[in-house]
Structure formats: structure tokens, C-alpha cells
């Protein structure tokens, strides 16, 4: 069943990748055609302006909080899965690791609550609200840091991780598993930004 699911997921990602590549190609051709027809409000991606924009702004167009969140969650997810935290504790070390992880979870949640719910908490906004606030903007990094810390604690106690190299390998494994999502992100953002350039759209 797992093999079938992985195969279906791989095919779905492949279909989306092909769709995004074709959509970008058609957009380039459409922008050139509409620009040649002197359609107002349309800029060609094949013009000197379009080429300068694409290459000059490519790095900036990929930079977004979403990319950072994806990276952090993939790092934390890799450590969580490879630590074996979800496995049934049968040995003394696994039970010890589970207890230490639960203790760390309580401490982590307590610290976050102290930084958010008490009057004049550091992570609240200037008006005392939780959303929007520094906490809401850092919610994913906070979650990733908590998951990573708890996973590493369990892995070291349960001897799933025996050294620093095991920890590095686990977080790297998470990034490798999420690699198709990063590819989809790059293609999707590229198409979206190209669409905004061609039709002079502004969603800021």
C-alpha cells in the first residue's frame, strides 16, 4: 500500500511539474504575441525589458517566508521521523527518551506561554495582540525548533542518534524527502511572478 501511495505521489508531482513548465512556456509565447499585437498593459518576457527582469530579479522572486518555512519544517520533520519518536517504546532507553521528550515539551510550551500570554509579553504586538505579532510571524520557526529539539532529545536518549553525524543525516534526510516540494515551489513562484510581470499585476 505504501509503495502504491509513493508511486501515485511521484506521478502527481511529475504531472504538476510538467504542467508548470508548459504554463511558463505558453506564458512566454503569449506575452510575446500580445505585445506584438500592441495590447495595452502587456509586457513581453522575450523583450529586452523582460529578459533583464527575469535574470535580474530571479533571486528576489524566489525569496519568501514560505521558502524558509518549508526548509525549517523539512529539517524538523526529518529529525522527527528518523528519531523513532513515534515507534512503540519497548526498551528502557526508549521509555527514558519518551519521558525526557515529554519533559522538554512541557518546558518548551511553558516558555512559549510565558512569552505570549502574560501581560506585556515580549512576543506580543505593541498593542498587546497575538495575531498579528512577532509570535504569529515566527510561529512556524518556533514549531520547527520545538519539534527538532524534542526529536533530537529522544534520539540521543533512545540511542537512535549516537553522534552528531546521525543528527545531521536525519535533518538532511528530511530535506531530501521534501526536495520535490522545493522544485514545485520554484516553478510555481516563477510562473506566478512572470504572470504578474506580463500583465502588470500587483498583489502587495
Amino acid at each position: 500500500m505504501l509503495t502504491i501511495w509513493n508511486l501515485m505521489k511521484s506521478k502527481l508531482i511529475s504531472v504538476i511539474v510538467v504542467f508548470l513548465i508548459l504554463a511558463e512556456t505558453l506564458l512566454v509565447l503569449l506575452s510575446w504575441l500580445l505585445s506584438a499585437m500592441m495590447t495595452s498593459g502587456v509586457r513581453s518576457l522575450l523583450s529586452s525589458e523582460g529578459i533583464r527582469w527575469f535574470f535580474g530579479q530571479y533571486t528576489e522572486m524566489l525569496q519568501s517566508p514560505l521558502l524558509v518555512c518549508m526548509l525549517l519544517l523539512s529539517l524538523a520533520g526529518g529529525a522527527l521521523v528518523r528519531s523513532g519518536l513515534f515507534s512503540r517504546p519497548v526498551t528502557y532507553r526508549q521509555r527514558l527518551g519518551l519521558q525526557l521528550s515529554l519533559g522538554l515539551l512541557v518546558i518548551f510550551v511553558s516558555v512559549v506561554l510565558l512569552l505570549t500570554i502574560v501581560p506585556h509579553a515580549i512576543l506580543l504586538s505593541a498593542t498587546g495582540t497575538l495575531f498579528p505579532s512577532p509570535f504569529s510571524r515566527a510561529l512556524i520557526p518556533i514549531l520547527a525548533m520545538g519539534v527538532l529539539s524534542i526529536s533530537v532529545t529522544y534520539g540521543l536518549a533512545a540511542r537512535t542518534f549516537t553522534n552528531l553525524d546521525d543528527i545531521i543525516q536525519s535533518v538532511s534526510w528530511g530535506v531530501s524527502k521534501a526536495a520535490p516540494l522545493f522544485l514545485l515551489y520554484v516553478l510555481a513562484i516563477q510562473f506566478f511572478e512572470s504572470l504578474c510581470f506580463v500583465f502588470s499585476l500587483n498583489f502587495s
Side-chain angles (χ1 to χ4, degrees), residues 31-109:
S31 69
W32 170 77
L33 180 61
L34 293 178
S35 178
M37 296 171 59
M38 296 184 179
T39 305
S40 61
V42 175
R43 294 181 289 182
S44 173
L45 286 167
L46 293 178
S47 65
S48 57
E49 178 192 12
I51 294 174
R52 283 196 303 268
W53 169 82
F54 187 83
F55 286 98
Q57 300 295 321
Y58 195 80
T59 301
E60 285 75 8
M61 78 169 69
L62 294 182
Q63 294 175 352
S64 75
L66 177 59
L67 179 60
V68 176
C69 290
M70 289 173 58
L71 177 60
L72 292 177
L73 289 176
S74 64
L75 292 172
L80 179 63
V81 173
R82 296 298 291 269
S83 69
L85 183 59
F86 291 138
S87 61
R88 183 180 179 182
V90 293
T91 66
Y92 168 76
R93 285 192 172 276
Q94 289 175 329
R95 290 192 293 269
L96 175 63
L98 186 59
Q99 293 172 357
L100 291 175
S101 299
L102 290 175
L104 181 59
L105 176 61
V106 171
I107 295 173
F108 184 82
V109 171

